[in-house]
Amino acid sequence: MPRTRTALLGVLALLAGLLSVQFTGPAPRASAAPAAFAHPGVLVSRGQLDHARSKVQAGQQPWKAAYDAMMASSYASLSRAAKPRPVVECGSSSNPNNGCTDERQDAIAAYTQALAWYFTRDGRYARKSIEIMDAWSATIKDHTNSNAPLQTGWAGSTWPRAAEIIKYTYDGGWPGAGRFATMLRDVYLPEVINGASTKNGNWELVMTEAALGISVFIEDRAAYDKAVRTYLARVPAYVYLNGDGDLPEPPAGSSIDTSAEIVKYWQGQSTFTDGLAQETCRDFGHTGWGIASIANIAETSRIQGQDLYPRIQDRLRHALGFHTSYENGTTVPSWLCGGSVAKGLGRVTEVAFNALHHRLGIAMSHTQRYTEARRPSGTDNYFNAWATLTHAGNPN
């Protein structure tokens, strides 16, 4: 009797499926973008800012030390002058460097001044942030040379963080907000939205981070959806899990698909294990940038109500644990990168550690030791800035 009933249910299910196809056709692909964007909503939310501000006002650590370090930096100087230019030209390793450093650092300064405004409620900082953003939106037209996509990703991931805070929390007004949005839409988004599948993964990840953040500020749901699709395809091609099989996933849209090509793309590494990254055997510094963008994108998605952490958390936690274990002194085995790794992960773990350990309750002993020993995290002068202040132990 149970078998007959099971068979009958199976037939009914099959018929239901056939009828569904006949009358409704294939189900439409769900949008990753929220029905309404949350603001401020790029990397940091209002709730996160309020939590961190309350900790600073109470003099609690590590937030107070992180705040003091930020305010003592040149990025928070009210006498800082922006250095915009119409064309930013960046070659390999920023050589030539025609505006590359200036653009990255002005973007970080705009974000720093926006944070300073929020924490102090001193309008001078908001106006300085606006001054910097207005200077660039009135000037820049293009990025050129071989590093143009990467440079655009670095600066383009930081600008929207500043713009979101100013536009949605500063009551003094920002007349140039529309022009700034046009700059992001016309100069930055086209350079990053299509990814860079044949480059090392940190390129495409930071470009995708920029595309996602820009999409939030200009409220472009189609660009947001495309950025999420790129992200969900790239993360498995950047961080390996044992369940992937004998080889990592190849980068989507690339011609890298044979065993030999994949091993070459993974810097000659032919033994794979949980948490190994595509750039591990290149160096930990570039790997850290890739891991940071993985976390930053997921953080923005969570603020926007379309949480991507469940989709990538296993890869992210294993990547963090794998690399911080060697940073913390674990002996490098002979099968890994020929027995030698180039350490220097950077202070890029705070956002991911907070999300996975504090919010999701995942034990991360190596990452915790590494992160807490490097507080306050400061800035790498590229695109990571003040994450201890904004994300350490932040439940929001």
Side-chain angles (χ1 to χ4, degrees):
M1 185 70 176
R3 281 179 166 179
T4 304
R5 182 182 176 193
T6 300
L8 179 60
L9 289 173
V11 171
L12 290 173
L14 178 61
L15 287 172
L18 291 172
L19 288 171
S20 174
V21 171
Q22 180 180 352
F23 290 105
T24 65
R29 181 166 55 191
S31 173
F37 286 98
H39 303 291
V42 176
L43 188 61
V44 290
S45 66
R46 188 184 295 269
Q48 288 172 317
L49 291 168
D50 287 342
H51 175 83
R53 183 170 184 258
S54 70
K55 294 294 187 181
V56 171
Q57 289 178 326
Q60 296 183 20
Q61 302 296 354
W63 303 275
K64 183 61 165 60
Y67 170 79
D68 289 343
M70 181 185 79
M71 296 302 290
S73 75
S74 63
Y75 293 113
S77 171
L78 287 168
S79 63
R80 185 182 184 92
K83 298 178 181 179
R85 61 177 66 203
V87 177
V88 174
E89 182 188 10
C90 307
S92 179
S93 299
S94 294
N95 182 23
N97 183 342
N98 294 323
C100 316
T101 301
D102 291 339
E103 180 187 33
R104 292 194 307 266
Q105 295 190 359
D106 276 353
I108 292 173
Y111 178 49
T112 303
Q113 299 278 347
L115 288 172
W117 141 252
Y118 199 90
F119 279 74
T120 64
R121 303 305 161 93
D122 184 338
R124 293 177 301 166
Y125 293 108
R127 291 190 290 275
K128 177 58 70 172
S129 182
I130 290 170
E131 177 187 309
I132 294 168
M133 290 189 286
D134 282 353
W136 279 89
S137 68
T139 306
I140 190 167
K141 302 300 180 185
D142 199 10
H143 296 85
T144 63
N145 215 315
S146 59
N147 261 30
L150 181 61
Q151 172 72 20
T152 310
W154 283 332
S157 65
T158 310
W159 287 126
R161 302 175 198 167
E164 283 280 301
I165 294 172
I166 294 299
K167 182 175 180 179
Y168 293 100
T169 73
Y170 177 54
D171 55 8
W174 179 16
R179 189 179 69 194
F180 191 80
T182 298
M183 177 196 77
L184 293 180
R185 180 184 294 107
D186 294 349
V187 179
Y188 287 79
L189 188 59
E191 192 73 51
V192 297
I193 191 61
N194 293 316
S197 62
T198 60
K199 297 289 187 179
N200 284 305
N202 81 88
W203 275 56
E204 188 160 75
L205 286 164
V206 80
M207 290 166 67
T208 304
E209 180 182 349
L212 194 82
I214 290 169
S215 299
V216 171
F217 185 70
I218 67 175
E219 298 196 330
D220 187 328
R221 301 183 78 252
Y224 188 101
D225 285 348
K226 186 170 185 177
V228 169
R229 290 196 298 271
T230 301
Y231 174 73
L232 292 177
R234 173 52 85 166
V235 175
Y238 195 70
V239 178
Y240 177 83
L241 289 180
N242 290 337
D244 294 340
D246 293 337
L247 292 169
E249 293 287 330
S254 76
S255 60
I256 301 167
D257 53 11
T258 69
S259 298
E261 289 170 341
I262 291 174
V263 168
K264 180 181 179 181
Y265 185 61
W266 283 63
Q267 324 298 323
Q269 179 69 15
S270 58
T271 301
F272 304 96
T273 190
D274 282 337
L276 183 80
Q278 181 258 319
E279 295 185 270
T280 298
C281 294
R282 180 189 185 190
D283 59 64
F284 280 21
H286 287 91
T287 302
W289 279 346
I291 291 172
S293 285
I294 291 173
N296 293 348
I297 292 167
E299 193 73 3
T300 294
S301 78
R302 180 179 178 272
I303 295 168
Q304 295 305 322
Q306 304 286 334
D307 193 352
L308 294 174
Y309 276 116
R311 305 281 293 274
I312 57 89
Q313 68 184 46
D314 285 345
R315 293 183 193 274
L316 183 55
R317 71 181 180 90
H318 280 297
L320 287 166
F322 182 88
H323 293 88
T324 56
S325 70
Y326 295 114
E327 290 282 357
N328 292 341
T330 297
T331 300
V332 179
S334 59
W335 59 262
L336 177 62
C337 310
S340 176
V341 296
K343 296 180 184 178
L345 190 64
R347 301 185 181 193
V348 297
T349 59
E350 201 80 74
V351 174
F353 176 63
N354 180 62
L356 300 181
H357 180 68
H358 289 289
R359 290 203 301 248
L360 297 178
I362 298 172
M364 304 177 71
S365 58
H366 282 299
T367 306
Q368 181 169 3
R369 176 183 168 190
Y370 179 87
T371 302
E372 292 177 350
R374 287 159 178 80
R375 286 175 171 168
S377 57
T379 177
D380 60 11
N381 302 310
Y382 283 84
F383 70 104
N384 294 291
W386 322 123
T388 297
L389 175 62
T390 56
H391 285 83
N394 201 316
N396 296 307

